[in-house]
């Protein structure tokens, strides 16, 4: 893992929600996962059995991550191994997102959202 120091003078975040993380410092591994059902209707109606993730293949499908087959060679020179930031101002962090200040070795993030839009037919 790269050895850099992160310096932030001031940070302001208005809202954190839905399993989000604010991490200060070095981390070996971060894994975030979010699943959501988003339903939009003309009227506020809830029938009671609409929130079953198992009813949709989207949440059961295996995530396919392509393998890197190319030979990649890298060389890094860090003349000043420090990152300096005066101010960070964020409106919101949501849905298993990560706000991280520091070094991270491995990160894996996944989000699955099923959107529904149900509108009344306008028959004239």
């Amino acid at each position: 893992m790269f050895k850099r120091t992160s310096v932030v003078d001031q940070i302001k975040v208005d809202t954190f929600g839905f399993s989000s993380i604010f991490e200060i410092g070095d981390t070996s591994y971060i894994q975030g996962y979010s699943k959501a059902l988003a339903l939009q209707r003309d009227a506020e109606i809830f029938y009671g059995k609409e929130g079953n993730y198992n009813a949709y293949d989207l949440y059961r499908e295996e995530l396919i991550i392509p393998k890197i087959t190319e030979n990649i060679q890298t060389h890094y020179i860090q003349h000043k191994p420090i990152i300096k930031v005066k101010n960070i101002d964020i409106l919101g962090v949501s849905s298993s997102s990560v706000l991280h200040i520091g070094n991270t070795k491995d990160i894996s993030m996944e989000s699955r959202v099923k959107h529904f839009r149900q509108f009344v037919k306008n028959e004239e």
Side-chain angles (χ1 to χ4, degrees):
M1 184 166 38
F2 297 119
K3 301 295 182 195
R4 286 197 266 187
T5 302
S6 302
V7 177
V8 178
D9 291 339
Q10 180 179 349
I11 187 162
K12 177 186 172 201
V13 180
D14 290 337
T15 305
F16 274 92
F18 304 113
S19 301
S20 295
I21 296 172
F22 182 12
E23 179 78 30
I24 301 173
D26 296 344
T27 306
S28 293
Y29 184 71
I30 295 174
Q31 181 177 9
Y33 181 79
S34 173
K35 59 182 176 180
L37 290 172
L39 178 59
Q40 180 183 3
R41 289 188 173 131
D42 286 335
E44 294 180 18
I45 300 169
F46 180 66
Y47 296 110
K49 294 186 177 182
E50 298 171 300
N52 184 1
Y53 294 118
N54 293 327
Y56 307 102
D57 291 338
L58 169 72
Y59 302 107
R60 292 191 307 272
E61 292 175 357
E62 182 179 341
L63 179 64
I64 299 171
I65 301 173
K67 295 190 187 242
I68 298 173
T69 57
E70 297 87 3
N71 185 15
I72 300 172
Q73 296 180 357
T74 59
H75 180 71
Y76 299 94
I77 299 174
Q78 297 182 27
H79 295 286
K80 291 187 177 181
I82 190 166
I83 299 170
K84 291 184 180 182
V85 177
K86 187 173 182 182
N87 293 311
I88 299 174
D89 191 357
I90 298 173
L91 292 177
V93 180
S94 183
S95 302
S96 297
S97 297
V98 176
L99 170 58
H100 185 230
I101 299 171
N103 296 297
T104 305
K105 184 178 178 186
D106 293 308
I107 299 174
S108 173
M109 306 296 288
E110 181 181 349
S111 179
R112 297 180 186 216
V113 180
K114 178 75 173 169
H115 289 271
F116 295 95
R117 286 170 178 77
Q118 296 175 347
F119 300 106
V120 177
K121 289 183 180 180
N122 188 3
E123 296 180 20
E124 294 182 16

